[in-house]
Each structure stands twice: as structure tokens, then as C-alpha cells.
Amino acid sequence: MAIRPPARARARLRQPRALVALVLVVVLLPAPAAAAPAEPLLRAPVEGPVIDPFRAPTSPWGSGNRGLEYATPPGTSVRAAADGEVVFADAVAGDRFVTVLHPTGLRSTVGPLADLSVVAGQRVRTGEVLGSSRSSVHLSVRAGDEYLDPAPLLAGARPPARLVLHDLFAGDGAAARRAERAFAAELQRELASTSPLEVLTSLLPSRAAFDGLAAALSPAAHLRRIALGLWAWHLRRGECTAADVVPAPPPQRRVAVLVAGFLSTSESAGIDQLDVAALGYDPGDVVRFSYEGGRVPGPVASDLGVVPATSYDAAATQRDLPTAGRELLRLLRALSAAAPGVPIDIYAHSQGGIVTRLALSELALPEEVDLAVTIASPHGGTEAATALEVLRDVPGVDAVLTATGPIAGVDAIGGSAVDMAEGSERLASLQPPPPSVRFLAIGARGDWIVPAAHTGVQGHPHVVVPTSGAHAHEAVVRAPETQRELALALAGLPPTCEPLLDAVGDVLVGELVLSIEDLAVGTLASAGGRMGLVASAVGVVLDAGAAELRPAP
């Protein structure tokens, strides 16, 4: 049955001027002025001269230096620029970096480092050692996805004032999700400390859970996101392609690389539904990435036949995502060597989009890589993975997930499922696509697996196509609207102009999907303590049953 808003709400939706007023009031209010700090916000990570100052690029894709580079001898201790939480401490293309999220909302990144002294999730104080230098040390500072000049912050200046619109688009979503998880954990501890009788007789969530759910479903929060969606549509109006424009096919040979998603196999994947022939690719120039390395077996052009071919199963897609990103990079390099100078385009579905972004962040990316498109990819995470993360924090549930996971063919304890939770450290550490690659993200309006609101990447074109239904997550790949946007991107044209009513539909349906899914995850969090008691008992039973089913040694 179709859900219709109340008559009063429908009347308001028929008033475009009211929507515009809502956008202007909610979005354009300036952020409250902050008092000037009494001391520098940041401290230099090392003692040494700056050999390359901040040089802002002329465009988001232009060259420049997005930080400060210090001259330091190898082995110099590199220290935290301010108090905060380590949200990334790992290697990128063989170089180690550390990113710290500070209470001000800024993120500082230092590297490359020879070794690491901290791990992700660790709290650090100003001046605490993060690692040691390999040679020179680079410091960058970001507010959301915007790079700031660190020098004024080191001298005591405060970040430039920004509109609320900017803060809402570029704010650190990972910090908000960490706060939500902290709330859930605190609630679980509260319930776990309650006597079993009280837990069993408690039929309603605690007041804290009620307050948390009320905040998640707050009308003000929905109105703000709706206003932002409409404002984004307004900004796109001057940079779009008319619906009657027919893009021309590519005039030269191009190679298409297909990257499938979670639980795909070499024999079956949603990305296989993409009509690459209609986009102008020769069948021999289309290869699909194998999670075991190289390409999936199949006929290819003679010069691409030198690229190794391997099969993979669903389990291979659940390994850690950085490994898959490195394997994709190796495939891109192999294709570049086999067909030098031939442009390479990447089309990724679902989890494949995260794998693609990890590959694009590597420093040795072949120059032939020209276009990358992600379709229904969880750049902002998925509610299902978030729900698993909430459940994993409940005592006894790990045993249940460990026992039942193999039956469903899903690793619910580790691997890529962890990385795709909302606000995960892996997603928070993703780097913006490089300026050398044209990037487009596509989402489906009615996708319940990866809501359209989670499929965009800050600073890059994002298109929502009107695909809905129970199978929207897969159907969006073959949707004619998706096909058109891919053809436009290949031709170097901006996305199709979207009517206002379609834009309203995108944001309203998106809010409905997010509301229902947030309610489900919030309910899991509020019921966590109760579930823990039952899960502990179920886990014991399942472990005993699994022991009986194991073959004798």
C-alpha cells in the first residue's frame, strides 16, 4: 500500500516557495562565532624547517601542496598535533600514515612514517609520539574533505568561518557514528548490569534508548537533510546535460574493468548486467576483476590475454578490503602494460566501489585510468553492516554469529563486513579520488541495501536514478537511467538535468529509507542487553551442536 503524507503536508509540498524558504533558512544561517583560541590549535609534528609550504590547488583536481612538508632526518619522532583519536594508522602504497580526529572537528594527517607507535581507535595527547620519520614529514589538515593551510592554525588563528551548509556537507560523519556507537555501548552496559528478572520483565526500551531513537527520527533532522538535498539540486542546475542530448560513443578504443561486490563469484555478479556493448566497448576489451587476483576467466582481446585469469568464490569477497584494493591496482597495472596508452574505465558495483577507491588512492596508479564510476556503493556505509557491529558488541552474540555465519555464507565477525559499517575507520580513512581520474557515483532511489544518501562522495558528481523495488540494489546496474549517465560520463558531459519533483522524490524517499533502517538499528542497540542474555545461552547450544557435527579427527 502506498504511504501518503497527511493532507496538510501534501498541501505544503505543493508550495515551491515554502521549500525555497526552508532551504534558505536552514542552510544559509551562519555558524555560531567561536571565541579566538588563547593558544595555537595545532602543534608542529616535528622540529624542523618547512621546505614546501601549503599551496592551494586552483581547482579540486589541480596540482599543489595540501599541507606543510618538514625537513627531518630519518628516525625523528613524529608527534600528535593536538589531542584526539587516531582514526587511521596504516600503510597506503607502502607508506605509513596516521590520521587523528581532534575535538575541534579537524583531522590532521602525518607521514610517510618508517614505523607506527599507535593504532586506530587509540586516544592521544598533544605531543604524543605517533611514529618515526622515514625522511621528510608531511602534515595536512582537513575540515571535512576541505584541506586547510596548517600554518595559521599553528600560529594561533582559528579556521575560517563557514556556512552551516558547508559544515553539514563536509562534516565528519565518522565522529557522529562513533558517538552513536558509544551511546549503544553505554546502553548495553546499563542493561547488562540489570538483574535478569528486570530485563525479562522490561518490555519497553530505556528512556535513554527512547531519547536516542527520537533524535534519530527528529523532524528537524529530516527537514535539514531535505533542505540540503534541494539546495544541492539548485547548485547542479547550471552544470547538467539536457535530457534530449544524445551522447556520442567514445571515438577510440577503451578498456572496461568491472568490479563486482559483496558475495559475488567469478560466475555470477550484479555488475555483469551492465550493457558495456551499448557503451561502445568491444567485448574483448571488457574484463572483470577477480578477488583472487587478476581477471575472471573469459575471452579477451589478444593483447589482454597475458593478464592472469583466476576464479573466485563468495568467501574471497569478504576478506579485508585493502587487500582487494591492492589486487585491483595490480590488475590495472597489468592492463596498462598489456595495452599501453589505451584508456581504462572502471565500473564498480556495491562493495566494488570501495575496492575501487582503495585502488585509486595508491600512488602508482597507471596514467591510463581515466574514468571510475561506482554504482550503489556504500561510501557512507550500510545499515546492515552497522547492525552487525551493534550486535557484535552484545555479550554472547559473537558466538551466535560465528556459528550461523558459515550457514549463510557470511563472515559477520571480520573482513569486509566490518569495513562497511557506517563511520568505520576504513571508510573514514578513504582518500578522495585522484585529480587525474574522472569520478561519478550513482545511487538508486529505492535501494534498501545501500540507501542513495550513502552512495555519494564529497566533491564529486552524484546521481540518484529512480530505481525502486525489492531488487533495486541489483536492478540499478541495468537501469536505462544508469546506462545514460554512464554514456554521458564517457562523453565527458555532466549528468542529466533533474526536474524539481524528481529531486524532491529522491530526498523524501531517501529519508523514508534511512528512518526505517535507523529505527531498526536503534532498536537493536536498545535491546542489546536483553539479547545478550538469550544469545549467551543460544551460543552455548550452537557450539555444542557444531561440536557434534564436526568430523572425527
Side-chain angles (χ1 to χ4, degrees):
M1 180 178 68
I3 300 177
R4 291 173 58 81
R8 184 179 301 174
R10 294 198 303 270
R12 289 177 180 172
L13 287 177
R14 288 194 293 267
Q15 300 177 20
R17 285 179 293 183
L19 290 174
V20 174
L22 173 65
V23 172
L24 294 177
V25 170
V26 175
V27 173
L28 295 182
L29 287 177
E39 58 184 23
L41 286 180
L42 302 178
R43 166 180 166 176
V46 294
E47 294 183 1
V50 174
I51 57 176
D52 191 2
F54 180 85
R55 291 176 283 107
T58 57
S59 71
W61 305 275
S63 60
N65 181 21
R66 294 170 171 82
L68 301 176
E69 187 169 357
Y70 294 86
T72 54
T76 301
S77 294
V78 180
R79 303 178 183 276
D83 296 352
E85 178 186 351
V86 177
V87 295
F88 181 79
D90 208 338
V92 178
D95 293 328
R96 298 176 178 87
F97 293 86
V98 174
T99 299
V100 178
L101 173 64
H102 306 294
T104 58
L106 300 178
R107 282 181 291 170
S108 64
T109 300
V110 293
L113 304 177
D115 55 66
L116 301 176
S117 302
V118 294
V119 296
Q122 179 178 336
R123 302 290 304 183
V124 294
R125 305 287 296 181
T126 303
E128 187 171 339
V129 175
L130 305 178
S132 61
S133 64
R134 192 186 65 186
S135 55
S136 61
V137 172
H138 189 271
L139 166 68
S140 65
V141 179
R142 282 183 287 173
D145 284 335
E146 177 187 357
Y147 285 88
L148 305 179
D149 184 354
L153 305 178
L154 295 169
R158 62 183 177 89
R162 294 173 294 159
L163 294 179
V164 174
L165 172 65
H166 181 282
D167 291 334
L168 292 173
F169 271 127
D172 195 305
R177 288 300 177 180
R178 278 192 294 276
E180 291 175 9
R181 295 202 302 273
F183 159 76
E186 181 63 31
L187 178 63
Q188 291 159 16
R189 284 193 292 271
E190 174 189 333
L191 291 173
S193 64
T194 308
S195 69
L197 179 61
E198 290 174 322
V199 171
L200 293 175
T201 57
S202 174
L203 300 178
L204 295 175
S206 68
R207 179 54 188 265
F210 176 81
D211 290 344
L213 293 179
L217 301 174
S218 166
H222 290 299
L223 288 174
R224 181 186 65 183
R225 288 195 293 261
I226 290 171
L228 287 173
L230 296 178
W231 182 254
W233 168 85
H234 172 75
L235 295 178
R236 290 194 303 264
R237 289 190 306 167
E239 298 181 0
C240 60
T241 302
D244 58 354
V245 172
V246 179
Q252 64 181 122
R253 179 192 180 190
R254 304 178 74 93
V255 172
V257 176
L258 309 183
V259 186
F262 190 68
L263 296 183
S264 65
T265 68
S266 52
E267 290 76 29
S268 176
I271 194 64
D272 289 338
Q273 302 178 53
L274 189 66
D275 191 351
V276 285
L279 293 174
Y281 294 97
D282 185 273
D285 290 330
V286 180
V287 301
R288 181 146 73 82
F289 164 67
S290 171
Y291 278 85
E292 292 288 1
R295 61 180 177 88
V296 166
V300 294
S302 58
D303 54 350
L304 303 183
V306 298
V307 178
T310 59
S311 300
Y312 72 92
D313 57 15
T317 68
Q318 301 180 61
R319 298 170 190 157
D320 64 295
L321 294 178
T323 298
R326 289 189 289 271
E327 290 297 340
L328 176 57
L329 177 64
R330 292 190 182 97
L331 172 61
L332 297 175
R333 290 174 179 170
L335 293 171
S336 171
V342 177
I344 300 174
D345 304 318
I346 306 173
Y347 300 99
H349 177 235
S350 196
Q351 174 185 278
I354 308 302
V355 175
T356 297
R357 288 190 63 185
L358 288 167
L360 294 179
S361 68
E362 300 288 348
L363 299 180
L365 187 71
E367 62 180 13
E368 283 86 357
V369 178
D370 179 52
L371 173 67
V373 181
T374 62
I375 305 171
S377 293
H379 301 293
T382 70
E383 297 286 356
T386 305
L388 284 176
E389 186 174 10
V390 170
L391 289 174
R392 282 194 299 270
D393 291 335
V394 178
V397 171
D398 273 8
V400 177
L401 296 176
T402 301
T404 58
I407 299 175
V410 176
D411 179 4
I413 300 300
S416 61
V418 175
D419 288 338
M420 289 190 291
E422 296 169 287
S424 72
E425 294 166 0
R426 183 64 59 196
L427 294 181
S429 66
L430 287 175
Q431 300 298 312
S436 59
V437 178
R438 297 181 293 134
F439 188 89
L440 171 67
I442 297 177
R445 179 186 295 174
D447 189 345
W448 289 83
I449 296 179
V450 181
H454 289 174
T455 58
V457 175
Q458 172 68 24
H460 293 272
H462 179 216
V463 176
V464 177
V465 299
T467 303
S468 299
H471 304 288
H473 188 66
E474 299 289 338
V476 63
V477 176
R478 62 177 182 272
E481 295 85 358
T482 299
Q483 195 77 19
R484 171 175 170 78
E485 298 305 329
L486 299 182
L488 289 173
L490 266 177
L493 298 174
T496 305
C497 299
E498 184 180 32
L500 174 60
L501 289 181
D502 286 350
V504 171
D506 290 343
V507 295
L508 292 183
V509 173
E511 286 305 304
L512 174 64
V513 172
L514 287 177
S515 296
I516 294 175
E517 293 188 344
D518 282 341
L519 176 62
V521 174
T523 303
L524 282 176
S526 66
R530 305 181 184 92
M531 294 173 59
L533 296 175
V534 179
S536 296
V538 174
V540 172
V541 174
L542 289 174
D543 282 346
E548 291 294 327
L549 294 174
R550 292 190 191 101

